[in-house]
Amino acid sequence: MSSPMDLYEQLTAQGLAVRHIKAQKGNKAEVESAVQLLLRMKEDYKLLTGQDYQAGRPPTHTEDDDSGPAEDDEDDQVNPWNVSTSSAKGVDYDKLIVRFGSCKIEQELVDRIARVTGKTPHHFLRRGIFFSHRDMHQILDAYESRKSFYLYTGRGPSSGAMHVGHLIPFLFTKWLQDVFDVPLVVQMTDDEKYLWKDLSLEDCHRYTLENARDIIACGFDPDKTFIFSDLDYMGASPSFYRNVVKVQKHVTFNQVKGIFGFTDSDCIGKISFPAIQAAPSFSNSFPQIFGDRNDVQCLIPCAIDQDPYFRMTRDVAPRIGYLKPALLHSTFFPALQGAQTKMSASDANSSIFLTDTAKQIKNKVNKHAFSGGKDTVEEHRKLGGNPDVDVSFMYLTFFLEDDEQLEKIRQERCASHRRTEEVFDRDASAHDRGASGETQASDRRDRATVHDPAQTTLQLLEPSEERTLTVFCSCVITLC
Ligand code: TYM
């Protein structure tokens, strides 16, 4: 699917191609087919943006999107399908807050969470990894007046293995469940992945079961957690489907085009899918947990790429008599090659998967991890490093919980002009919880088992003693 800017650029290129063919005096059929393609693209552009294509004038903010500002600007692209920026420091998150119309997580909010829960805020909050929110104060107001809320997050199972970036929202959700002691629903959008990827329904469903093991192994409260596959739950829950239909009735094609950039050539499944991701935001989609109550507020932790779905959901909620869900947004765990893109399952070399062996992890980090912009180790030593763009150091900000130790590594990293990997090597024994270069991370991660894959909804089982994440993180830190 193309964004308005992508389509504008493709149109510009096609305009040039037509001119070129004409200048070369190409045969009539060739000219005709290039012109027809240009005209069709202009129609798509008009449908997508509500504007006529004009060479040299990129699209402005789309008129039909009344749920929030357009997704992409010249530098940063952030949407559910693509995250990219030209800056080595990563996406400009302050700019994104303005563009998406969300609120920055200020120190005052972090302090309030600490006060209300009586717990030290998670390091993702202390370090600004969760950086933006919608209506979090409302959740805390409700909680203080003894009204409960519930958590909702999800995963689109596009492969058997999740990567480390996917764990960021799940880890944080686990912490939120622990400190607030609230129910959690986890949506596995196997239907979404079938619609978007070249995968069979059977594969998508199988990936749901595989990925659920990694999610379960994060250690959620088995009595308060419901993990479900869309392919199973949609058919099994009339309440859920009723909410899907309500959302579908109140969002127009123009609105989803404006928010997600769908075009006329996208299949109708994609166009109606956002309603399915919206439905878990309403408590009466889960009568087995909340009875017929539709007034239990929902809090959604996710990376900010998922925000378009929930801008749409928040826009439609009051129109169908429901509360708007609140959100907590995280930054992106960067690709090995640098923070210009997020770690993504579609590029195996950009990612560390939970099924990678320790040896594979070591190789990937050594071969691909961007370490501060200097071409050689010698140059690096001479000129010093820059933790702002050093991927290995960025990974530590996500995973090394000890603030003092992190600061020490940062200072050493600058002062001694050593690569972060070298600093890690020296400190490895401090973190080594048994990772060996030859051992399969997957052998040791001891995924939780799902007893009966045929059951219609996934039952949460006891998490293993040795948690996937602990093992995995120690592996990354040790081997970096
Ligand atoms: P998916 O499978 O793309 O991603 C799952 C969760 O991981 C987040 N994420 C990341 N976080 C940090 N760094 C990264 N590099 C990174 N890559 C992905 C995503 O934001 C997401 O929170 N359509 C969704 C599934 C879904 C969902 C939800 C997600 C359904 N309902 C509610 C969040 C909340 C998807 O395909 O996610």
Side-chain angles (χ1 to χ4, degrees):
M1 173 195 336
S2 302
S3 69
M5 186 53 82
D6 286 343
L7 201 50
Y8 169 81
E9 280 166 5
Q10 288 160 16
L11 251 168
T12 306
Q14 184 62 19
L16 290 173
V18 169
R19 244 180 282 159
H20 180 72
I21 295 169
K22 283 184 177 165
Q24 301 294 308
K25 304 222 181 309
N27 70 46
K28 207 174 157 205
E30 201 185 352
V31 175
E32 182 67 10
S33 115
V35 170
Q36 284 307 323
L37 178 60
L38 183 69
L39 293 176
R40 279 201 302 279
M41 288 170 79
K42 282 188 176 173
E43 275 171 25
D44 282 347
Y45 183 86
K46 171 95 189 198
L47 280 167
L48 178 62
T49 62
Q51 297 156 26
D52 285 314
Y53 169 76
Q54 285 179 282
R57 297 195 53 187
T60 51
H61 175 68
T62 50
E63 300 166 356
D64 292 325
D65 175 5
D66 55 4
S67 304
E71 300 309 295
D72 307 321
D73 73 5
E74 279 165 27
D75 296 329
D76 296 354
Q77 286 219 349
V78 176
N79 60 56
W81 304 283
N82 183 24
V83 173
S84 61
T85 171
S86 54
S87 164
K89 289 183 183 173
V91 169
D92 183 334
Y93 290 106
D94 284 334
K95 245 166 107 180
L96 207 59
I97 286 174
V98 175
R99 241 165 73 207
F100 280 16
S102 61
C103 298
K104 191 176 171 118
I105 296 183
E106 305 282 4
Q107 188 56 41
E108 181 217 342
L109 177 57
V110 178
D111 293 343
R112 187 172 176 209
I113 292 172
R115 245 188 352 264
V116 169
T117 62
K119 299 280 187 321
T120 306
H122 193 280
H123 66 278
F124 286 174
L125 276 174
R126 299 200 304 272
R127 295 181 191 158
I129 288 170
F130 271 78
F131 72 104
S132 152
H133 76 102
R134 296 183 189 274
D135 288 343
M136 188 58 198
H137 280 292
Q138 206 171 297
I139 292 280
L140 295 174
D141 291 344
Y143 186 77
E144 280 185 318
S145 53
R146 300 194 178 280
K147 278 195 211 141
S148 191
F149 65 93
Y150 72 102
L151 296 161
Y152 157 41
T153 193
R155 156 80 181 134
S158 55
S159 63
M162 284 168 64
H163 61 62
V164 190
H166 289 134
L167 291 178
I168 306 306
F170 285 101
L171 265 182
F172 190 60
T173 303
K174 150 86 177 129
W175 181 80
L176 290 169
Q177 187 180 53
D178 284 351
V179 300
F180 288 104
D181 191 25
V182 286
L184 160 68
V185 297
V186 181
Q187 180 180 42
M188 305 298 289
T189 52
D190 32 21
D191 51 350
E192 176 193 14
K193 293 302 147 182
Y194 173 68
L195 292 167
W196 260 269
K197 305 260 174 188
D198 188 16
L199 293 169
S200 70
L201 271 176
E202 291 69 31
D203 280 344
C204 295
H205 192 255
R206 189 162 47 81
Y207 294 155
T208 283
L209 297 168
E210 286 287 303
N211 288 191
R213 294 177 182 184
D214 290 327
I215 294 169
I216 290 165
C218 288
F220 296 107
D221 181 344
D223 297 325
K224 291 208 166 82
T225 303
F226 178 59
I227 305 179
F228 64 97
S229 138
D230 279 350
L231 290 174
D232 293 329
Y233 192 59
M234 277 276 282
S237 171
S239 312
F240 187 87
Y241 186 57
R242 278 168 169 71
N243 279 338
V244 170
V245 173
K246 278 189 188 175
V247 175
Q248 285 172 343
K249 181 167 174 167
H250 290 84
V251 181
T252 66
F253 183 30
N254 272 344
Q255 282 171 319
V256 287
K257 272 193 300 188
I259 300 167
F260 299 99
F262 297 138
T263 67
D264 280 8
S265 30
D266 281 305
C267 72
I268 58 173
K270 288 186 184 177
I271 292 152
S272 57
F273 172 77
I276 301 174
Q277 185 152 331
S281 315
F282 310 124
S283 57
N284 60 354
S285 291
F286 304 100
Q288 71 279 29
I289 305 173
F290 304 108
D292 58 4
R293 285 188 61 182
N294 63 10
D295 61 346
V296 185
Q297 185 152 23
C298 174
L299 172 62
I300 307 173
C302 57
I304 196 153
D305 60 333
Q306 298 297 309
D307 190 62
Y309 285 111
F310 301 117
R311 287 208 297 276
M312 184 203 82
T313 309
R314 286 169 56 85
D315 180 60
V316 80
R319 291 191 276 125
I320 55 176
Y322 295 152
L323 296 172
K324 291 182 181 193
L327 282 116
L328 286 168
H329 298 122
S330 82
T331 57
F332 299 107
F333 191 78
L336 282 163
Q337 288 77 3
Q340 283 96 341
T341 53
K342 67 167 186 169
M343 186 168 275
S344 157
S346 50
D347 178 358
N349 283 331
S350 82
S351 301
I352 296 169
F353 292 97
L354 298 183
T355 44
D356 284 347
T357 62
K359 197 172 171 186
Q360 282 172 322
I361 295 168
K362 187 172 184 169
N363 283 342
K364 280 189 187 179
V365 171
N366 284 341
K367 198 162 160 200
H368 300 291
F370 180 77
S371 190
K374 307 295 183 295
D375 288 339
T376 61
V377 174
E378 289 68 36
E379 219 184 307
H380 200 98
R381 287 211 179 97
K382 207 168 112 205
L383 302 171
N386 179 359
D388 287 346
V389 298
D390 178 337
V391 164
S392 308
F393 186 78
M394 285 182 200
Y395 288 172
L396 281 194
T397 64
F398 281 85
F399 286 137
L400 187 59
E401 288 177 31
D402 185 329
D403 291 336
E404 269 179 38
Q405 197 173 12
L406 184 70
E407 180 53 21
K408 199 172 126 212
I409 292 175
R410 197 188 65 76
Q411 283 174 10
E412 283 195 28
R413 174 76 182 70
C414 295
S416 70
H417 294 174
R418 292 189 307 158
R419 286 154 58 94
T420 304
E421 293 92 315
E422 293 175 73
V423 176
F424 290 163
D425 277 348
R426 198 217 50 192
D427 275 5
S429 57
H431 305 293
D432 189 357
R433 293 171 213 156
S436 105
E438 296 306 318
T439 315
Q440 275 227 323
S442 55
D443 287 345
R444 290 179 293 102
R445 71 200 174 112
D446 197 9
R447 285 167 142 194
T449 34
V450 176
H451 283 318
D452 177 9
Q455 64 202 359
T456 51
T457 51
L458 297 168
Q459 300 300 311
L460 187 71
L461 304 174
E462 278 296 322
S464 57
E465 271 296 289
E466 193 182 29
R467 301 265 158 78
T468 298
L469 204 76
T470 313
V471 173
F472 184 74
C473 293
S474 70
C475 204
V476 173
I477 291 169
T478 306
L479 294 172
C480 262

PDB file of all heavy atoms in Angstrom, residues 37-55:
ATOM      1  N   LEU A  37      -1.406   4.276 -17.642  1.00  0.00           N
ATOM      2  CA  LEU A  37      -0.941   4.013 -16.270  1.00  0.00           C
ATOM      3  C   LEU A  37      -0.869   5.327 -15.484  1.00  0.00           C
ATOM      4  O   LEU A  37      -1.312   5.416 -14.333  1.00  0.00           O
ATOM      5  CB  LEU A  37       0.431   3.317 -16.310  1.00  0.00           C
ATOM      6  CG  LEU A  37       1.054   3.024 -14.950  1.00  0.00           C
ATOM      7  CD1 LEU A  37       0.151   2.114 -14.112  1.00  0.00           C
ATOM      8  CD2 LEU A  37       2.429   2.350 -15.102  1.00  0.00           C
ATOM      9  N   LEU A  38      -0.360   6.368 -16.142  1.00  0.00           N
ATOM     10  CA  LEU A  38      -0.264   7.681 -15.484  1.00  0.00           C
ATOM     11  C   LEU A  38      -1.650   8.168 -15.057  1.00  0.00           C
ATOM     12  O   LEU A  38      -1.846   8.650 -13.935  1.00  0.00           O
ATOM     13  CB  LEU A  38       0.399   8.677 -16.448  1.00  0.00           C
ATOM     14  CG  LEU A  38       0.641  10.073 -15.891  1.00  0.00           C
ATOM     15  CD1 LEU A  38       1.719  10.045 -14.810  1.00  0.00           C
ATOM     16  CD2 LEU A  38       1.085  11.044 -17.004  1.00  0.00           C
ATOM     17  N   LEU A  39      -2.628   8.009 -15.953  1.00  0.00           N
ATOM     18  CA  LEU A  39      -3.986   8.477 -15.642  1.00  0.00           C
ATOM     19  C   LEU A  39      -4.587   7.690 -14.474  1.00  0.00           C
ATOM     20  O   LEU A  39      -5.218   8.269 -13.586  1.00  0.00           O
ATOM     21  CB  LEU A  39      -4.892   8.363 -16.881  1.00  0.00           C
ATOM     22  CG  LEU A  39      -4.523   9.309 -18.038  1.00  0.00           C
ATOM     23  CD1 LEU A  39      -5.413   9.065 -19.251  1.00  0.00           C
ATOM     24  CD2 LEU A  39      -4.625  10.780 -17.603  1.00  0.00           C
ATOM     25  N   ARG A  40      -4.358   6.370 -14.476  1.00  0.00           N
ATOM     26  CA  ARG A  40      -4.891   5.553 -13.373  1.00  0.00           C
ATOM     27  C   ARG A  40      -4.248   5.965 -12.049  1.00  0.00           C
ATOM     28  O   ARG A  40      -4.904   6.072 -11.023  1.00  0.00           O
ATOM     29  CB  ARG A  40      -4.621   4.060 -13.640  1.00  0.00           C
ATOM     30  CG  ARG A  40      -5.625   3.414 -14.597  1.00  0.00           C
ATOM     31  CD  ARG A  40      -5.641   1.895 -14.417  1.00  0.00           C
ATOM     32  NE  ARG A  40      -4.341   1.283 -14.623  1.00  0.00           N
ATOM     33  CZ  ARG A  40      -3.812   0.990 -15.818  1.00  0.00           C
ATOM     34  NH1 ARG A  40      -4.497   1.230 -16.918  1.00  0.00           N
ATOM     35  NH2 ARG A  40      -2.617   0.433 -15.909  1.00  0.00           N
ATOM     36  N   MET A  41      -2.945   6.235 -12.095  1.00  0.00           N
ATOM     37  CA  MET A  41      -2.253   6.648 -10.866  1.00  0.00           C
ATOM     38  C   MET A  41      -2.794   7.998 -10.380  1.00  0.00           C
ATOM     39  O   MET A  41      -2.936   8.231  -9.177  1.00  0.00           O
ATOM     40  CB  MET A  41      -0.740   6.737 -11.110  1.00  0.00           C
ATOM     41  CG  MET A  41      -0.087   5.368 -11.263  1.00  0.00           C
ATOM     42  SD  MET A  41       1.611   5.482 -11.842  1.00  0.00           S
ATOM     43  CE  MET A  41       2.463   5.910 -10.342  1.00  0.00           C
ATOM     44  N   LYS A  42      -3.119   8.880 -11.339  1.00  0.00           N
ATOM     45  CA  LYS A  42      -3.671  10.187 -10.932  1.00  0.00           C
ATOM     46  C   LYS A  42      -5.026  10.001 -10.239  1.00  0.00           C
ATOM     47  O   LYS A  42      -5.339  10.690  -9.278  1.00  0.00           O
ATOM     48  CB  LYS A  42      -3.807  11.097 -12.156  1.00  0.00           C
ATOM     49  CG  LYS A  42      -2.488  11.706 -12.590  1.00  0.00           C
ATOM     50  CD  LYS A  42      -2.694  12.741 -13.678  1.00  0.00           C
ATOM     51  CE  LYS A  42      -1.354  13.391 -14.013  1.00  0.00           C
ATOM     52  NZ  LYS A  42      -1.412  14.291 -15.159  1.00  0.00           N
ATOM     53  N   GLU A  43      -5.803   9.034 -10.773  1.00  0.00           N
ATOM     54  CA  GLU A  43      -7.111   8.772 -10.132  1.00  0.00           C
ATOM     55  C   GLU A  43      -6.911   8.250  -8.709  1.00  0.00           C
ATOM     56  O   GLU A  43      -7.577   8.682  -7.768  1.00  0.00           O
ATOM     57  CB  GLU A  43      -7.889   7.738 -10.941  1.00  0.00           C
ATOM     58  CG  GLU A  43      -8.668   8.346 -12.092  1.00  0.00           C
ATOM     59  CD  GLU A  43      -9.248   7.274 -13.004  1.00  0.00           C
ATOM     60  OE1 GLU A  43      -9.468   6.134 -12.542  1.00  0.00           O
ATOM     61  OE2 GLU A  43      -9.463   7.582 -14.187  1.00  0.00           O
ATOM     62  N   ASP A  44      -5.984   7.286  -8.554  1.00  0.00           N
ATOM     63  CA  ASP A  44      -5.695   6.737  -7.219  1.00  0.00           C
ATOM     64  C   ASP A  44      -5.244   7.841  -6.266  1.00  0.00           C
ATOM     65  O   ASP A  44      -5.631   7.890  -5.092  1.00  0.00           O
ATOM     66  CB  ASP A  44      -4.586   5.682  -7.295  1.00  0.00           C
ATOM     67  CG  ASP A  44      -5.090   4.347  -7.801  1.00  0.00           C
ATOM     68  OD1 ASP A  44      -6.324   4.165  -7.862  1.00  0.00           O
ATOM     69  OD2 ASP A  44      -4.257   3.495  -8.129  1.00  0.00           O
ATOM     70  N   TYR A  45      -4.418   8.721  -6.794  1.00  0.00           N
ATOM     71  CA  TYR A  45      -3.878   9.824  -5.985  1.00  0.00           C
ATOM     72  C   TYR A  45      -5.009  10.731  -5.491  1.00  0.00           C
ATOM     73  O   TYR A  45      -5.083  11.112  -4.330  1.00  0.00           O
ATOM     74  CB  TYR A  45      -2.878  10.608  -6.844  1.00  0.00           C
ATOM     75  CG  TYR A  45      -2.194  11.727  -6.103  1.00  0.00           C
ATOM     76  CD1 TYR A  45      -1.050  11.484  -5.351  1.00  0.00           C
ATOM     77  CD2 TYR A  45      -2.679  13.019  -6.158  1.00  0.00           C
ATOM     78  CE1 TYR A  45      -0.416  12.498  -4.672  1.00  0.00           C
ATOM     79  CE2 TYR A  45      -2.046  14.056  -5.481  1.00  0.00           C
ATOM     80  CZ  TYR A  45      -0.910  13.789  -4.744  1.00  0.00           C
ATOM     81  OH  TYR A  45      -0.283  14.796  -4.061  1.00  0.00           O
ATOM     82  N   LYS A  46      -5.937  11.020  -6.404  1.00  0.00           N
ATOM     83  CA  LYS A  46      -7.071  11.889  -6.052  1.00  0.00           C
ATOM     84  C   LYS A  46      -7.927  11.209  -4.982  1.00  0.00           C
ATOM     85  O   LYS A  46      -8.357  11.831  -4.008  1.00  0.00           O
ATOM     86  CB  LYS A  46      -7.881  12.164  -7.331  1.00  0.00           C
ATOM     87  CG  LYS A  46      -9.196  12.863  -7.123  1.00  0.00           C
ATOM     88  CD  LYS A  46      -9.075  14.337  -7.289  1.00  0.00           C
ATOM     89  CE  LYS A  46     -10.359  15.012  -6.844  1.00  0.00           C
ATOM     90  NZ  LYS A  46     -10.571  16.315  -7.269  1.00  0.00           N
ATOM     91  N   LEU A  47      -8.126   9.889  -5.167  1.00  0.00           N
ATOM     92  CA  LEU A  47      -8.940   9.166  -4.187  1.00  0.00           C
ATOM     93  C   LEU A  47      -8.257   9.139  -2.821  1.00  0.00           C
ATOM     94  O   LEU A  47      -8.891   9.279  -1.782  1.00  0.00           O
ATOM     95  CB  LEU A  47      -9.164   7.720  -4.659  1.00  0.00           C
ATOM     96  CG  LEU A  47     -10.257   7.555  -5.697  1.00  0.00           C
ATOM     97  CD1 LEU A  47     -10.187   6.171  -6.313  1.00  0.00           C
ATOM     98  CD2 LEU A  47     -11.626   7.749  -5.047  1.00  0.00           C
ATOM     99  N   LEU A  48      -6.951   8.952  -2.853  1.00  0.00           N
ATOM    100  CA  LEU A  48      -6.215   8.821  -1.596  1.00  0.00           C
ATOM    101  C   LEU A  48      -6.102  10.148  -0.852  1.00  0.00           C
ATOM    102  O   LEU A  48      -6.256  10.204   0.370  1.00  0.00           O
ATOM    103  CB  LEU A  48      -4.813   8.258  -1.885  1.00  0.00           C
ATOM    104  CG  LEU A  48      -3.865   8.079  -0.704  1.00  0.00           C
ATOM    105  CD1 LEU A  48      -4.446   7.094   0.296  1.00  0.00           C
ATOM    106  CD2 LEU A  48      -2.505   7.566  -1.164  1.00  0.00           C
ATOM    107  N   THR A  49      -5.842  11.215  -1.597  1.00  0.00           N
ATOM    108  CA  THR A  49      -5.531  12.489  -0.919  1.00  0.00           C
ATOM    109  C   THR A  49      -6.667  13.498  -0.987  1.00  0.00           C
ATOM    110  O   THR A  49      -6.661  14.494  -0.267  1.00  0.00           O
ATOM    111  CB  THR A  49      -4.303  13.157  -1.566  1.00  0.00           C
ATOM    112  OG1 THR A  49      -4.627  13.455  -2.930  1.00  0.00           O
ATOM    113  CG2 THR A  49      -3.080  12.261  -1.531  1.00  0.00           C
ATOM    114  N   GLY A  50      -7.631  13.282  -1.898  1.00  0.00           N
ATOM    115  CA  GLY A  50      -8.670  14.288  -2.117  1.00  0.00           C
ATOM    116  C   GLY A  50      -8.128  15.477  -2.902  1.00  0.00           C
ATOM    117  O   GLY A  50      -8.790  16.505  -3.018  1.00  0.00           O
ATOM    118  N   GLN A  51      -6.908  15.359  -3.418  1.00  0.00           N
ATOM    119  CA  GLN A  51      -6.289  16.474  -4.142  1.00  0.00           C
ATOM    120  C   GLN A  51      -5.906  16.043  -5.557  1.00  0.00           C
ATOM    121  O   GLN A  51      -5.622  14.877  -5.786  1.00  0.00           O
ATOM    122  CB  GLN A  51      -5.007  16.919  -3.414  1.00  0.00           C
ATOM    123  CG  GLN A  51      -5.254  17.444  -2.019  1.00  0.00           C
ATOM    124  CD  GLN A  51      -4.024  17.318  -1.129  1.00  0.00           C
ATOM    125  OE1 GLN A  51      -2.893  17.301  -1.601  1.00  0.00           O
ATOM    126  NE2 GLN A  51      -4.262  17.211   0.168  1.00  0.00           N
ATOM    127  N   ASP A  52      -5.897  17.026  -6.494  1.00  0.00           N
ATOM    128  CA  ASP A  52      -5.395  16.731  -7.833  1.00  0.00           C
ATOM    129  C   ASP A  52      -3.878  16.697  -7.802  1.00  0.00           C
ATOM    130  O   ASP A  52      -3.254  17.499  -7.107  1.00  0.00           O
ATOM    131  CB  ASP A  52      -5.837  17.812  -8.829  1.00  0.00           C
ATOM    132  CG  ASP A  52      -7.309  17.653  -9.173  1.00  0.00           C
ATOM    133  OD1 ASP A  52      -7.731  16.508  -9.445  1.00  0.00           O
ATOM    134  OD2 ASP A  52      -8.036  18.669  -9.130  1.00  0.00           O
ATOM    135  N   TYR A  53      -3.309  15.746  -8.569  1.00  0.00           N
ATOM    136  CA  TYR A  53      -1.842  15.691  -8.637  1.00  0.00           C
ATOM    137  C   TYR A  53      -1.314  16.911  -9.391  1.00  0.00           C
ATOM    138  O   TYR A  53      -1.831  17.272 -10.446  1.00  0.00           O
ATOM    139  CB  TYR A  53      -1.394  14.414  -9.364  1.00  0.00           C
ATOM    140  CG  TYR A  53       0.077  14.433  -9.702  1.00  0.00           C
ATOM    141  CD1 TYR A  53       1.034  14.204  -8.727  1.00  0.00           C
ATOM    142  CD2 TYR A  53       0.514  14.700 -11.010  1.00  0.00           C
ATOM    143  CE1 TYR A  53       2.396  14.237  -9.022  1.00  0.00           C
ATOM    144  CE2 TYR A  53       1.865  14.731 -11.314  1.00  0.00           C
ATOM    145  CZ  TYR A  53       2.804  14.504 -10.320  1.00  0.00           C
ATOM    146  OH  TYR A  53       4.135  14.541 -10.616  1.00  0.00           O
ATOM    147  N   GLN A  54      -0.326  17.585  -8.807  1.00  0.00           N
ATOM    148  CA  GLN A  54       0.336  18.679  -9.514  1.00  0.00           C
ATOM    149  C   GLN A  54       1.834  18.461  -9.407  1.00  0.00           C
ATOM    150  O   GLN A  54       2.366  18.356  -8.286  1.00  0.00           O
ATOM    151  CB  GLN A  54      -0.021  20.021  -8.879  1.00  0.00           C
ATOM    152  CG  GLN A  54      -1.427  20.470  -9.229  1.00  0.00           C
ATOM    153  CD  GLN A  54      -1.726  21.791  -8.561  1.00  0.00           C
ATOM    154  OE1 GLN A  54      -2.015  21.821  -7.375  1.00  0.00           O
ATOM    155  NE2 GLN A  54      -1.608  22.872  -9.302  1.00  0.00           N
ATOM    156  N   ALA A  55       2.498  18.384 -10.568  1.00  0.00           N
ATOM    157  CA  ALA A  55       3.947  18.140 -10.555  1.00  0.00           C
ATOM    158  C   ALA A  55       4.634  19.235  -9.743  1.00  0.00           C
ATOM    159  O   ALA A  55       4.283  20.419  -9.856  1.00  0.00           O
ATOM    160  CB  ALA A  55       4.480  18.130 -11.983  1.00  0.00           C
TER     161      ALA A  55
END
